[in-house]
Amino acid sequence: MIGIERSITALSRSVLIRFLLCLSVVVLLVPCRAQKDGLEPLPRWIASLTLAVNRKDRAEFARVANLPVEQVPAWIFETTTPSWQGTLLPSPDSTTRWIAFSAWHTLESDGDHLHSLFETEAGYKLGAETEKETDTGNLKITHHALNVAFQPARKLAKISDSVQFGWNEKPTKTAIVRLSNNFQVKGVRENDAKGKPVPFRQSGGFVLFETPPEAEFTAYFEYEGVVNHRGGDYIQDTEATLNSYWYPHIARQPATATTTVRTPSPAWTALGVGELEKETRHPDGTRTLIFRNDIPVCFYTVTAGKYFVTSRTVNGKQFHTYLRDDNSALAEKHLDLLEKSLGYFEQTFGEFPYSRYAIVDLRGAFSGALESYSFATFGPGMLPGTIVHEIAHTWWGGLVTCTYTRSMWNESFAEYSDTLFQRETSAVAPLSGSRIPELRRNALAYQTFSMSTAHDTSDGRQASVGYGKGNLVLRVLEEEIGKEKMLASIRGFLSNHARGNPVEWNAFEKIVNKTTGKDYRWFFAQWMERRGMPALSLQNIRTQKRNIGYILEGEIVQSGTPYRLTLPLRAVTSNGKNLDQTLILDKPRMAFRVQSDAPITSVVLDPCLLYTSDAADE
């Protein structure tokens, strides 16, 4: 060492600099050579994998992931998410690693994906998907204690959540929860903000944390994020709303919650799901509002902003409108519809579970309407047309819960409930003929997804199945079993539901069987589990004039696997008379006959207008 020091001292400054530069090059080259002889750098491999996902390039993904082409995950091609971010998620002790594919998602659409990671002699290999959004797993969330504060100037939300967990089986050392990749977790603690720190790792939309051995425990999550999206979550100068994946969850399972919101200015107010438990005015004019929801639900929304509030009390219930403009006349019209439709649903389905309901007018980057069970938010152009639909969700999605991760049966029920109300209170066109444009427009979508698999509302094809076809099929069921038994089945669906357990179509099927005393497996199999709709045509139509009058004969032909159908058939005569029959069809071909005292000009087969004849008598 002494000799080296003397040699360096004797070198000139320029020689010394050149020597150090050369030494630096040597130091930098050594790791590169070692890396070249081993595995490809993991960040570069993840970037290549993510690029293949976003390009939906099956062959390239298979090559990078070291997988056979047939094992490439199907979600890559089914997703409506336009751009994914791939990141590494290691366990706290780094013994296990996963690849997380994350993005911001609207409320009722896609979810993030997590895959195991392996090292092989051929390089990194992507393993099977784990912790799927539909997997309830071994751990459940029973309650959230949320605390939300908005900073509009920064478009920032600062949130904490004391989450109560319970194990379904034997506890494990770690657990994973999902959270929108908007948010960065600052810390996880035991019980509350003063608890002992808990080791955790976050990658995209996944948070992995160590868990205690107790059967039930509470973990306190503190996180924040900039929120500024189209179609969902956003924070603006005069308004803010959170309605997507903004709190920790597992498989979107139902939970109760207490939500505390601190408004950023005296002009703002706020709403959360459930009952308003307490409102505090602070010396600076801002407010803290606490909402308690004792009904386990799958989705929670927080909305705050500058609103003109109009209120009305009816039979002990408080109805409100939160409008962005001071328009009392419009507010009263909305309250009229709210009062009328909510009263109808209470009479038809059962008691409304909250003491208040609010209609909230949003002006931000939100183009739809969204149920929140004790209130609903409506984007531009959605009022008043969707008020009845959103109110119906208090029963369908609220009292009877739906996660949206498997199907959107509750959208079908909300649409059907809306049409029930319209049929009771106004003139509504019959099914026949009025649905022709809708059925033609949605024919391709109906062929692509079944009602039991359509779940992504950001996919127009799936939405048309969940909303449009679902409404039609429930109406068909009503005509099959009768309106009285249909409503009895709906009420039984509510009364037999165990709060906190999400359901799917099969739960309603069991209630229909119980109510009618018959097995309707055939009905639910053909309508919920099959894609498409019945393809019917009228063939061999002929009319004859006889001594007894006019005779029309023909055949109803089904293409493909026959449906079992109860079909109203209407023949219309030249003098405007309607001749109605009900046909039971379960074969590919069926003959029918209509007798009339006047020429028959058209034939209508529900639910589509299939044939019109202007031909002369034979």
Side-chain angles (χ1 to χ4, degrees):
M1 292 291 293
I2 295 175
I4 293 175
E5 289 177 357
R6 287 176 179 172
S7 299
I8 292 176
T9 304
L11 292 172
S12 67
R13 182 181 300 272
S14 60
V15 174
L16 177 60
I17 292 173
R18 285 197 298 271
F19 175 79
L20 290 175
L21 286 173
C22 292
L23 182 62
S24 299
V25 171
V26 172
V27 172
L28 289 171
L29 285 177
V30 169
C32 292
R33 187 177 298 114
Q35 185 68 64
K36 185 177 180 180
D37 294 338
L39 292 169
E40 178 184 6
L42 186 54
R44 189 167 67 196
W45 182 83
I46 295 173
S48 299
L49 197 64
T50 305
L51 183 62
V53 169
N54 289 329
R55 289 178 174 175
K56 299 185 186 299
D57 189 330
R58 189 186 299 270
E60 178 64 8
F61 185 94
R63 185 191 69 79
V64 177
N66 275 319
L67 292 174
V69 171
E70 59 271 17
Q71 292 183 18
V72 172
W75 65 261
I76 296 173
F77 310 99
E78 297 170 352
T79 180
T80 56
T81 300
S83 180
W84 294 93
Q85 178 187 10
T87 53
L88 177 69
L89 174 64
S91 60
D93 59 5
S94 297
T95 57
T96 308
R97 295 185 293 181
W98 299 267
I99 302 298
F101 295 97
S102 303
W104 177 80
H105 307 285
T106 56
L107 173 62
E108 303 161 0
S109 61
D110 205 353
D112 292 340
H113 301 273
L114 191 68
H115 286 259
S116 54
L117 172 65
F118 301 99
E119 292 183 9
T120 70
E121 292 183 358
Y124 294 111
K125 181 178 180 180
L126 194 73
E129 185 174 5
T130 184
E131 302 288 336
K132 294 182 180 180
E133 191 178 27
T134 54
D135 293 344
T136 55
N138 186 29
L139 188 63
K140 62 182 177 180
I141 294 173
T142 58
H143 183 76
H144 298 273
L146 290 151
N147 199 303
V148 182
F150 295 111
Q151 296 182 11
R154 300 173 59 193
K155 301 187 184 302
L156 184 74
K158 296 176 73 70
I159 306 171
S160 66
D161 188 6
S162 291
V163 186
Q164 294 179 14
F165 292 93
W167 294 103
N168 295 317
E169 299 174 2
K170 184 178 178 180
T172 57
K173 292 182 179 180
T174 61
I176 293 177
V177 295
R178 290 167 175 260
L179 178 68
S180 175
N181 70 345
N182 282 317
F183 298 105
Q184 292 75 50
V185 176
K186 300 299 182 181
V188 182
R189 294 180 176 272
E190 296 179 355
N191 299 317
D192 54 34
K194 297 181 180 180
K196 179 182 176 182
V198 174
F200 76 96
R201 295 287 183 92
Q202 179 180 10
S203 180
F206 298 91
V207 182
L208 186 150
F209 66 103
E210 292 187 357
T211 55
E214 290 81 12
E216 297 180 351
F217 65 95
T218 299
Y220 175 85
F221 294 80
E222 186 176 7
Y223 52 100
E224 64 181 43
V226 174
V227 182
N228 186 26
H229 297 284
R230 295 189 59 82
D233 302 352
Y234 61 84
I235 301 173
Q236 299 177 345
D237 291 341
T238 58
E239 187 175 72
T241 185
L242 299 174
N243 55 30
S244 295
Y245 295 75
W246 62 278
Y247 51 88
H249 70 94
I250 300 172
R252 305 300 294 183
Q253 294 296 293
T256 58
T258 300
T259 306
T260 301
V261 189
R262 176 73 180 260
T263 63
S265 78
W268 283 44
T269 188
L271 291 96
V273 180
E275 305 289 356
L276 177 59
E277 192 170 64
K278 185 178 180 181
E279 180 174 353
T280 303
R281 292 269 187 172
H282 302 290
D284 63 356
T286 61
R287 315 180 202 186
T288 295
L289 300 96
I290 302 175
F291 298 88
R292 187 192 75 256
N293 187 49
D294 295 329
I295 300 171
V297 297
C298 295
F299 301 112
Y300 282 91
T301 298
V302 167
T303 293
K306 299 178 181 179
Y307 298 110
F308 293 92
V309 182
T310 303
S311 302
R312 177 188 299 181
T313 301
V314 180
N315 297 327
K317 290 185 173 60
Q318 296 179 354
F319 298 153
H320 311 276
T321 59
Y322 288 67
L323 303 184
R324 294 298 304 276
D325 297 324
D326 188 5
N327 189 334
S328 58
L330 183 61
E332 292 297 336
K333 287 183 179 180
H334 293 339
L335 289 174
D336 288 342
L337 182 55
L338 169 57
E339 178 184 345
K340 190 174 183 180
S341 57
L342 193 147
Y344 171 78
F345 289 147
E346 279 203 304
Q347 276 189 330
T348 307
F349 302 148
E351 184 180 1
F352 181 72
Y354 298 104
S355 66
R356 66 200 309 269
Y357 193 92
I359 292 169
V360 185
D361 175 25
L362 298 183
R363 296 292 176 85
F366 179 64
S367 57
L370 181 65
E371 72 274 13
S372 296
Y373 316 122
S374 61
F375 69 99
T377 52
F378 299 84
M382 302 306 292
L383 286 170
T386 54
I387 288 177
V388 179
H389 173 101
E390 301 307 332
I391 292 171
H393 273 301
T394 300
W395 287 267
W396 316 124
L399 289 174
V400 185
T401 46
C402 173
T403 66
Y404 284 90
T405 59
R406 299 179 186 274
S407 75
M408 55 180 91
W409 67 262
N410 61 340
E411 295 295 357
S412 303
F413 268 74
E415 281 289 280
Y416 174 73
S417 300
D418 193 338
T419 58
L420 267 179
F421 173 74
Q422 303 300 336
R423 283 156 55 193
E424 285 291 324
T425 58
S426 60
V428 177
L431 273 173
S432 301
S434 66
R435 292 293 186 175
I436 297 172
E438 176 185 336
L439 292 171
R440 288 176 178 169
R441 183 173 62 251
N442 294 327
L444 181 60
Y446 294 170
Q447 289 290 342
T448 307
F449 295 92
S450 68
M451 286 174 58
S452 61
T453 60
H455 65 278
D456 184 349
T457 59
S458 64
D459 183 337
R461 300 167 302 171
Q462 296 187 53
S464 67
V465 173
Y467 290 76
K469 180 180 176 180
N471 177 30
L472 283 173
V473 169
L474 287 174
R475 178 67 183 275
V476 171
L477 179 61
E478 176 193 320
E479 294 178 346
E480 179 71 34
I481 67 177
K483 188 174 181 179
E484 182 179 344
K485 288 184 178 179
M486 181 67 172
L487 295 181
S489 296
I490 288 175
R491 287 190 285 267
F493 193 30
L494 281 160
S495 61
N496 284 271
H497 175 253
R499 299 291 181 259
N501 293 330
V503 299
E504 298 296 339
W505 281 110
N506 61 340
F508 183 60
E509 177 184 346
K510 293 177 181 177
I511 296 299
V512 171
N513 291 344
K514 181 179 179 181
T515 302
T516 61
K518 298 180 180 179
D519 185 358
Y520 278 93
R521 173 89 282 266
W522 63 268
F523 182 92
F524 285 85
Q526 71 179 19
W527 288 110
M528 278 65 175
E529 297 166 14
R530 283 178 62 178
R531 291 176 293 179
M533 294 281 277
L536 307 178
S537 62
L538 292 174
Q539 297 182 10
N540 302 321
I541 302 297
R542 55 194 179 276
T543 59
Q544 295 180 353
K545 183 177 180 181
R546 298 181 180 176
N547 294 334
I548 58 175
Y550 295 85
I551 301 295
L552 181 142
E553 294 179 321
E555 290 182 305
I556 303 171
V557 178
Q558 289 200 68
S559 300
T561 303
Y563 280 71
R564 179 175 170 182
L565 303 169
T566 301
L567 294 173
L569 182 141
R570 171 171 291 179
V572 182
T573 66
S574 59
N575 59 8
K577 187 177 180 180
N578 295 329
L579 304 176
D580 295 327
Q581 294 185 23
T582 298
L583 307 175
I584 307 298
L585 180 65
D586 59 2
K587 297 182 176 66
R589 186 177 294 268
M590 178 182 179
F592 68 91
R593 186 173 186 269
V594 180
Q595 180 177 327
S596 170
D597 56 3
I600 296 174
T601 59
S602 67
V603 179
V604 178
L605 187 62
D606 196 28
C608 300
L609 180 64
L610 296 175
Y611 173 77
T612 300
S613 174
D614 296 318
D617 298 337
E618 294 180 359

